[in-house]
Amino acid sequence: MASRPRDIRSACRQRPLAPTRHAVDAAADSPGAPGTGRQPRKRSKQEMTLNYDVIVIGGGHAGCEAASAAARMGASTCLVTMDMNKIAQMSCNPAVGGIAKGQIVREVDALGGQMGIITDATAIQFRMLNRSKGPAVWSPRAQCDRGRFIWRWRQALDSTPGLDIWQDQATELIVEGRRARGVRTIWGAELLAGSVVITAGTFLNGLMHIGRRQVEGGRIAEPAAHHLTESITRHGIRAGRMKTGTPVRIDRRSVHFEDMEVQEGEADFHRFSFMDTGRRLPQLPCWTCYTNPDVHEALRAALPDSPLYNGQIRSIGPRYCPSIETKLVTFPDKGQHPLFLEPEGTDTNEMYLNGFSSSLPMDAQIEALRHIPALRDVKVYRPGYAIEYDFFDPTQLKHTLESKVVAGLFLAGQVNGTTGYEEAAGQGLVAGVNAALACSGGEPFVMRRDESYIGVLIDDLVTKGVDEPYRMFTSRAEYRILLRQDDADARLTERAYAMGLATRQRYDRWMAKKAGIEGIEKLCKETSVKPLEINPALENLGTTPLREGCKLIDLLGRPQLSMAALAAIVPQLREKIESLTDRREETAEAAEIRIKYKGYIERERMVAEKMHRLEDIKIKGRFNYAEMQQLSTEARQKLQSIDPVTLAQASRIPGVSPSDINVMLVLMGR
């Protein structure tokens, strides 16, 4: 059984903050001492100070996971958000998961995070994508009830011990001696901490665009956050601008569904969380339709007023989630583009038109939509819009997501140049854990590329940087056979439990599942089948009959045979599966994948272990890259800028060639 560490709560609180000009005495007799439940001491009529171990700025998906994780690790934590009623707001599509994104959510769940549990509780449609391909790329996706998703997150945070929520806007990062010490807010509060996590999403100097109109804001009808970026960059942290967008929201009462194709969800055992969560809400269909030449003509006529093409927007948007006007310009010969009309909840008429992101003028958007037969009478709640916002260069981060420039400062989510709720949540969890560990002096929590998609994501960010909003795909993971959605608990839960991040209940559920998988594997290895007993069934299943007896595990390796099919004809296997008292289907599927793909899994594990040798070679601080003439000019520049920790990380930097790696190996005497 995995051993539990000591609770770091006492370690965090025994390590006092360095005194600052504004520090308030945190002795037991102070009315503002953390954890006392009493009102903090007022510094003046206008200001007051709060003391914590970890402060998280921003209540989006990164911030919620960061705050939750830090508190679970035992750190006294404060989540600062501009609106408590929009915690974990789904700014764009109220959906979680998708290609590779679903794997990230499963990993967040396996580590003890909340996104998977809350998604299952609020899902109104679930699908497993890529089922026609191998299990390495199966990806869960769920449409959620937007309002219920927010409320469930609020409930989760409100019930987390050691976690406070403070509704305010951070305007200044407090830095002393190249170390983050806290933040000041727009209302004059001063929050001091050992670690600060910035997860401000699109709010940093956010600027929204609809046609030629520009309005400051981080989201529609919500203010932008000013001054915080400037208070961070003045310490040497580099910032840039990025752009994203969102489609119109449609009133379902104005839709002609008879002119659309229905897209039903799935109702099998698959879900996001490994805990005992089920889909509790009514399951609703989505709908599909297409643009047409008349739609395209209306959109093209409005292109001179598009902020993307009239010079208003100069920042880079997401390549893999383009606006409808970008699709027309990029694919001028394409006669139609698919659109997906998706419900926003069980108790609302608001619907999301996936595929029609736009920043064109309002009238142009509506006119174009009315050329679609199903939307000929369309009414909208609000038009699509684009938004520009600040982000920070992620190559200035460590793999813990702590800044290399300002100690104690952690960055997660869209502020690192990523896009997507899932990418944000994964980063938030890692940043929150490491922010808590930094307070206690614990070993950093770093995830490898062969351990998780989260590890791939963070390594890509800190090693390669971004020149457009980063989105995760299965193709970005070289070890995707090892990073399947079905085995996230096998990869991560024991580690999470050992460091105090996952609960005992979660650990026990994984150990029971592990025993079930191993039991099925053992039975398949030991059970023999004879031709006379099984050949008629094999012929009915369309596979070659046996000439001689074999082990059940050999039969299961055939692509035509599934675990369920064999269980129906082999009593011993059926009895073994039926003896499982919990998550029977999930356990059987996990065992089947391990058996069927054993050779591929082992081969990829061998490749990963070879790369570990380079991961174990530490090079940080060993070379003066500027003086290494044996390296290419680009390699010298990139290596000096990023300053990789290991030789493996250096090998993944764009512009660093294998010959450059060999040079460093020779210089190290290897």
Side-chain angles (χ1 to χ4, degrees):
M1 185 176 79
S3 60
R4 297 304 300 270
R6 61 185 179 88
D7 186 2
I8 72 163
R9 188 181 301 277
S10 59
C12 288
R13 291 185 176 169
Q14 289 170 7
R15 184 179 182 186
L17 298 174
T20 71
R21 178 169 60 93
H22 301 288
V24 173
D25 186 355
D29 60 351
S30 169
T36 64
R38 291 174 287 179
Q39 291 296 315
R41 180 192 295 177
K42 294 183 179 179
R43 293 179 54 237
S44 70
K45 291 183 178 180
Q46 298 295 324
E47 299 179 347
M48 67 180 184
T49 299
L50 302 170
N51 287 276
Y52 292 92
D53 298 319
V54 176
I55 294 168
V56 180
I57 307 301
H61 303 275
C64 287
E65 291 289 359
S68 176
R72 293 200 308 277
M73 292 291 292
S76 64
T77 304
C78 182
L79 174 64
V80 182
T81 179
M82 290 195 287
D83 190 343
M84 293 170 58
N85 298 312
K86 293 182 178 177
I87 293 283
Q89 170 69 289
M90 293 169 141
S91 305
C92 203
N93 194 355
V96 171
I99 305 300
K101 292 169 173 284
Q103 282 88 327
I104 293 177
V105 181
R106 295 278 275 175
E107 291 170 359
V108 167
D109 184 78
L111 290 165
Q114 296 291 319
M115 179 175 264
I117 293 172
I118 292 171
T119 297
D120 286 340
T122 60
I124 54 178
Q125 188 187 94
F126 182 92
R127 295 176 66 205
M128 184 67 75
L129 307 181
N130 275 345
R131 288 297 297 268
S132 62
K133 302 178 181 178
V137 294
W138 292 357
S139 301
R141 181 188 187 271
Q143 196 74 14
C144 296
D145 186 301
R146 183 190 299 274
R148 286 182 170 89
F149 189 91
I150 292 172
W151 186 243
R152 288 299 295 256
W153 253 116
R154 174 73 181 274
Q155 289 176 314
L157 297 176
D158 276 340
S159 61
T160 300
L163 173 58
D164 295 341
I165 302 175
W166 180 261
Q167 184 167 297
D168 207 337
Q169 179 180 328
T171 57
E172 182 183 358
L173 178 70
I174 301 172
V175 177
E176 295 188 358
R178 310 299 291 179
R179 184 172 190 85
R181 294 298 183 188
V183 295
R184 296 188 182 95
T185 76
I186 196 170
W187 289 110
E190 191 172 75
L191 291 87
L192 304 178
S195 300
V196 177
V197 186
I198 305 293
T199 63
T202 60
F203 283 81
L204 297 178
N205 294 317
L207 181 64
M208 298 177 291
H209 302 261
I210 299 178
R212 295 186 179 274
R213 291 187 176 271
Q214 303 176 57
V215 177
E216 292 184 346
R219 207 162 33 221
I220 198 79
E222 296 181 59
H226 297 296
H227 311 300
L228 185 57
T229 295
E230 293 75 14
S231 77
I232 294 172
T233 56
R234 73 168 63 109
H235 300 287
I237 294 174
R238 297 187 295 270
R241 296 281 281 176
M242 280 188 176
K243 168 263 175 186
T244 189
T246 191
V248 299
R249 303 307 198 268
I250 287 174
D251 188 333
R252 69 174 294 127
R253 294 168 296 184
S254 66
V255 178
H256 293 270
F257 289 102
E258 68 275 12
D259 293 323
M260 305 186 83
E261 299 173 19
V262 67
Q263 186 180 66
E264 300 285 356
E266 300 171 359
D268 64 5
F269 67 90
H270 289 103
R271 56 186 183 265
F272 275 100
S273 180
F274 293 100
M275 302 301 286
D276 188 16
T277 58
R279 292 184 285 278
R280 303 177 176 90
L281 297 178
Q283 299 299 287
L284 305 178
C286 296
W287 307 83
T288 63
C289 61
Y290 295 86
T291 63
N292 55 56
D294 291 337
V295 175
H296 297 179
E297 184 178 350
L299 293 170
R300 288 194 182 97
L303 283 180
D305 293 319
S306 167
L308 293 173
Y309 298 103
N310 67 8
Q312 279 178 223
I313 295 177
R314 298 183 180 181
S315 51
I316 300 173
R319 179 191 304 266
Y320 302 103
C321 188
S323 66
I324 187 67
E325 53 263 42
T326 299
K327 293 177 186 178
L328 296 185
V329 173
T330 307
F331 308 103
D333 298 327
K334 196 165 185 178
Q336 63 178 27
H337 295 278
L339 303 175
F340 305 89
L341 190 61
E342 299 166 330
E344 297 248 346
T346 61
D347 303 320
T348 179
N349 289 313
E350 188 177 0
M351 302 192 79
Y352 181 95
L353 189 59
N354 197 344
F356 203 89
S357 177
S358 180
S359 57
L360 288 168
M362 290 183 282
D363 59 341
Q365 294 185 41
I366 295 172
E367 180 189 354
L369 288 172
R370 287 178 174 167
H371 287 291
I372 299 171
L375 304 177
R376 58 186 178 271
D377 299 314
V378 71
K379 294 181 180 179
V380 304
Y381 285 102
R382 67 174 183 269
Y385 64 94
I387 180 169
E388 292 182 283
Y389 56 93
D390 295 338
F391 79 100
F392 303 104
D393 180 2
T395 64
Q396 292 185 295
L397 299 175
K398 304 174 183 177
H399 280 80
T400 59
L401 296 180
E402 184 181 17
S403 171
K404 297 176 182 177
V405 181
V406 178
L409 174 65
F410 296 79
L411 302 169
Q414 282 185 281
V415 296
N416 287 339
T418 65
T419 183
Y421 311 144
E422 304 81 6
E423 290 89 341
Q427 293 174 71
L429 185 144
V430 171
V433 169
N434 281 302
L437 291 171
C439 294
S440 66
E443 286 293 318
F445 174 56
V446 175
M447 306 184 79
R448 303 188 310 271
R449 294 184 69 91
D450 65 333
E451 186 179 23
S452 66
Y453 272 91
I454 299 173
V456 174
L457 163 66
I458 293 175
D459 185 67
D460 279 353
L461 292 176
V462 305
T463 301
K464 302 175 183 178
V466 292
D467 54 12
E468 62 185 36
Y470 180 102
R471 178 177 179 177
M472 180 54 71
F473 292 99
T474 53
S475 59
R476 296 189 189 273
E478 61 269 43
Y479 306 117
R480 52 188 173 273
I481 295 176
L482 305 179
L483 307 182
R484 308 181 310 277
Q485 63 83 28
D486 67 274
D487 75 337
D489 51 352
R491 291 182 274 122
L492 301 172
T493 293
E494 290 181 54
R495 183 181 179 188
Y497 177 73
M499 63 189 296
L501 185 58
T503 64
R504 178 59 186 258
Q505 181 187 16
R506 181 179 291 277
Y507 173 80
D508 287 344
R509 286 180 65 83
W510 156 241
M511 295 305 290
K513 178 182 172 182
K514 181 180 181 181
I517 294 171
E518 292 173 348
I520 293 173
E521 287 183 307
K522 185 174 185 291
L523 180 104
C524 290
K525 289 177 182 177
E526 296 176 349
T527 302
S528 299
V529 290
K530 298 178 180 179
L532 287 176
E533 298 172 348
I534 202 166
N535 276 349
L538 293 180
E539 290 175 350
N540 288 335
L541 292 170
T543 187
T544 306
L546 297 178
R547 293 185 177 180
E548 56 187 25
C550 70
K551 299 295 184 182
L552 192 56
I553 196 170
D554 298 320
L555 270 183
L556 194 54
R558 294 186 179 187
Q560 303 92 343
L561 298 180
S562 66
M563 182 75 72
L566 280 179
I569 59 179
V570 180
Q572 304 98 306
L573 180 60
R574 182 171 60 253
E575 291 169 6
K576 183 66 178 179
I577 294 174
E578 289 178 351
S579 70
L580 300 174
T581 58
D582 186 36
R583 298 182 294 170
R584 184 178 298 160
E585 299 94 339
E586 180 183 320
T587 304
E589 182 183 79
E592 179 178 2
I593 292 171
R594 282 177 42 164
I595 292 170
K596 278 185 173 292
Y597 297 92
K598 182 175 184 274
Y600 297 101
I601 294 169
E602 290 180 348
R603 185 174 62 188
E604 195 150 283
R605 175 57 61 196
M606 290 176 59
V607 174
E609 288 174 354
K610 289 180 180 178
M611 182 55 69
H612 285 175
R613 301 170 191 172
L614 293 181
E615 295 286 3
D616 292 336
I617 302 176
K618 307 296 183 182
I619 62 172
K620 189 174 179 66
R622 298 195 61 166
F623 298 110
N624 183 348
Y625 298 112
E627 297 179 357
M628 294 177 64
Q629 297 302 315
Q630 307 96 320
L631 305 177
S632 68
T633 301
E634 184 179 6
R636 291 199 303 272
Q637 293 171 345
K638 293 288 185 64
L639 289 166
Q640 188 171 5
S641 173
I642 295 171
D643 194 17
V645 177
T646 69
L647 200 62
Q649 186 189 356
S651 72
R652 294 189 290 270
I653 297 174
V656 177
S657 68
S659 62
D660 295 322
I661 300 299
N662 287 332
V663 167
M664 287 188 279
L665 281 169
V666 170
L667 292 175
M668 296 175 69
R670 295 187 176 250

